[in-house]
Amino acid sequence: MGIAVTKQTELNSNEFVLKFIGKEFISPNDPFWNSFLTFNITVPQTSNEQLFLETKIEPLLQQLINNNLQSRNISSLIQVFLVRASELLAATTTDNNLFSWQTLNALFIIRCILKYLTEMVPEEQLMQHIETGPENNVVKLETLLGSLFGIVVDVPLKDFTYAIHLEAITTILVLLSIEIHSNQRPDQSNIFRLIMKGRHSIHAPLFVKSLLQNFIEQKKQPPGDGHGSSIVLGLATEIWSILTFTRKPANSETIEGVEVETSPLGMHSLLLILVLANHCSIQPNPYRQCLFSCVNSQDNNPIAPTQDTGVFRVEYSQLFSVLCKKASGDVATLLLYLLLHRNAGFKAHLLNRADLNQLVIPILKTLYHAPDSNSHHIYMSLIILLILSEDESFNRSIHQSKLKNVTWYTERVLSEVSLGGLLVLVVIRTIQYNMLKMKDKYLHTNCLAALANMSSQFRDLHPYVCQRLVSLFETLAKRYQRFKAEVEIQLQDANSVQVQIADGQEVPDAEQYMYVLEEVLRMVLEIFNSALTHQLHNNPNLVYTLLYKKDVFKQFKTNPAFSDIVHNIEIIIEYFSDLLSSKMQHQEVDAHIVLNVICQGARHWPKDKLTKFPDLKFKYVEEEQPEEFFIPYIWALVNQQSNVHWSSDTSGILTVAC
């Protein structure tokens, strides 16, 4: 990927490195640390750069670990960092760039060591290496965590402290990554216990607020290498360079063709929120609780943020704005899901916004481009639509919002369509994609549940939307009849046969697939019935399409699985067919005239002719053990979108999630 190394001092012959990884104990008060921590490095920003760095330092780390129980130099380094971090936290100003730079370098080395340890040794040994004294290892780790939390919360975010904030957050992620390398549950991990229940967990509201504010502000990485390169010139000659990667300017969004996050602090902050908040088995989880209870700073709410209540304030409008900008990505989608599902205040704020289309459209684009997205992202995007569809005001408003020239929808030129109509089109397309590629029953269920919730508010559906709705039913009906015939053959033949479906893939159990299709078909019919029962006069194009495709429904009149609901649709078809016959006996059939007749007939439509069915109301319910889905997914995202990379060879979780 074009990685170039310049100004490199060979690490394996560097006197400072050799002394640090050797067997000799170095006191935290030794002047050695001033020289050792005066170096310059460009922080890796891509997986290739990360792997290159790790390849260079792995033999050195291995030697350090071999000698550390004797030298205790990892513990000394941590103590040096703790002293410098405490001075940084106590300082009234952070304008001492050199001091901040050396503090950062100490933390960067600690992070590299911890990452190696989490990958190579069990947690018990990791704890021993942090502090070889068996009575003090937990205390040392908790103090380290307290300093990292303090940096995030208390150190002002400026250009020359940006990298310290980023490194503190990344180091916490590295410590938490012990989960992906061990087989033990998080509630059995000392690291997780300290973070969830240690003395600094009482600061969870301020910590989560700081992380969330980092995400909202999306502060870009300052120019330069991020590790003191702006102050390298003019410093003492003791500076020794580690690695410098040749790359484009810092504000570039790609490095050698690889996309790079322009606000790594915002991204890492959000990743850490997701890792912390999605551990449900650890109770209580203060980070999860305070994220779900944060309130709008613009509301006149007397509740003040306190450590006891776990409540903090954030400006919802700013959060909404950045979620709109980032809604096409997995990470922002997960945060949006958590807030919609668990934070009633934010959900109410979002549903009351007049510009909600700014959030919905990127989600629809994600679903539309499903082949380019992972199945988890598709699933979460649909869940968000399902949660939104539980609100009647949302279902009404999306049909009042008109969109012009939706260029990214390429199946058909849509010069004007309602947001609701576009949503229906995209969900139908997702169902069809799922039938051909993913074959996920739950994806079907969530797609149809969202459409069902919205169906009673369908209004002025575009002719093309109506065509796609009926075409979906027609496609499902053909497939259902084919599988039904295969099941009948199987019942006559004692030997089970493999069934070929449209795309050539085999389905081992035709009967099971037939019943799945039966449920889906039934739901589509209920959606038609709901729309016609509640909004017949507002949907002449849907009536027109049903009349045009009326033969599709005849085959289901006598099927007991569908006959009751088809009966209502047949009544509507017969009513308007008779009306058209009487009105157009001597006229040439014309679509415009037919629509006029349908509109006139709808005004006099006798609603009591239809059999009443319960209103379609579906509510999203999270699985009993959501961690089984979310934790592998989130760690895969951390692996993909942070500046830390783990090999799937060392992690079962990442292998499952990929």
Side-chain angles (χ1 to χ4, degrees), residues 205-275:
L206 293 175
F207 185 67
V208 174
K209 179 180 181 178
S210 298
L211 295 175
L212 198 56
Q213 203 62 43
N214 288 342
F215 172 68
I216 291 171
E217 292 175 0
Q218 289 293 305
K219 185 176 176 60
K220 292 188 176 182
Q221 190 160 14
D225 293 333
H227 267 64
S229 59
S230 61
I231 59 172
V232 170
L233 298 178
L235 290 181
T237 56
E238 292 178 88
I239 293 175
W240 55 284
S241 297
I242 295 185
L243 297 174
T244 301
F245 300 102
T246 302
R247 60 164 71 120
K248 294 180 180 180
N251 60 355
S252 174
E253 295 189 7
T254 61
I255 294 176
E256 298 293 335
V258 179
E259 186 174 352
V260 176
E261 175 63 44
T262 57
S263 177
L265 182 62
M267 173 59 74
H268 283 66
S269 295
L270 181 51
L271 289 169
L272 182 52
I273 288 174
L274 294 177
V275 171

Side-chain angles (χ1 to χ4, degrees), residues 78-312:
I78 291 175
Q79 289 181 44
V80 170
F81 166 74
L82 291 174
V83 171
R84 291 172 182 258
S86 64
E87 293 172 353
L88 186 66
L89 290 166
T92 56
T93 176
T94 53
D95 291 340
N96 188 334
N97 289 14
L98 179 58
F99 181 77
S100 300
W101 177 33
Q102 292 187 342
T103 306
L104 169 63
N105 286 344
L107 183 54
F108 177 74
I109 297 172
I110 290 170
R111 189 249 287 184
C112 291
I113 294 170
L114 290 175
K115 182 177 184 293
Y116 184 78
L117 287 170
T118 58
E119 291 180 314
M120 303 304 296
V121 303
E123 185 180 20
E124 294 78 10
Q125 291 184 30
L126 182 151
M127 302 286 279
Q128 289 177 355
H129 280 287
I130 290 176
E131 172 55 77
T132 53
E135 296 178 357
N136 297 324
N137 56 353
V138 174
V139 175
K140 176 62 68 63
L141 179 58
E142 187 163 36
T143 306
L144 173 61
L145 285 168
S147 291
L148 298 176
F149 274 55
I151 288 171
V152 173
V153 173
D154 296 324
V155 173
L157 181 58
K158 299 183 179 181
D159 281 359
F160 52 85
T161 61
Y162 187 100
I164 297 179
H165 278 264
L166 178 58
E167 202 60 53
I169 290 167
T170 306
T171 303
I172 297 172
L173 280 170
V174 165
L175 280 167
L176 289 167
S177 73
I178 194 73
E179 175 181 29
I180 68 177
H181 303 295
S182 68
N183 295 321
Q184 64 183 10
R185 300 196 317 267
D187 58 353
Q188 297 175 332
S189 161
N190 281 324
I191 292 173
F192 270 85
R193 283 200 203 103
L194 288 173
I195 290 177
M196 295 294 178
K197 300 180 180 180
R199 62 174 181 262
H200 53 269
S201 64
I202 63 172
H203 303 296
L206 293 175
F207 185 67
V208 174
K209 179 180 181 178
S210 298
L211 295 175
L212 198 56
Q213 203 62 43
N214 288 342
F215 172 68
I216 291 171
E217 292 175 0
Q218 289 293 305
K219 185 176 176 60
K220 292 188 176 182
Q221 190 160 14
D225 293 333
H227 267 64
S229 59
S230 61
I231 59 172
V232 170
L233 298 178
L235 290 181
T237 56
E238 292 178 88
I239 293 175
W240 55 284
S241 297
I242 295 185
L243 297 174
T244 301
F245 300 102
T246 302
R247 60 164 71 120
K248 294 180 180 180
N251 60 355
S252 174
E253 295 189 7
T254 61
I255 294 176
E256 298 293 335
V258 179
E259 186 174 352
V260 176
E261 175 63 44
T262 57
S263 177
L265 182 62
M267 173 59 74
H268 283 66
S269 295
L270 181 51
L271 289 169
L272 182 52
I273 288 174
L274 294 177
V275 171
L276 291 171
N278 277 283
H279 280 88
C280 314
S281 63
I282 302 177
Q283 295 294 338
N285 181 334
Y287 308 95
R288 183 176 177 87
Q289 291 173 350
C290 64
L291 178 66
F292 296 163
S293 59
C294 71
V295 298
N296 191 358
S297 62
Q298 300 301 302
D299 288 347
N300 295 321
N301 192 318
I303 298 176
T306 67
Q307 294 172 356
D308 295 331
T309 63
V311 175
F312 66 87

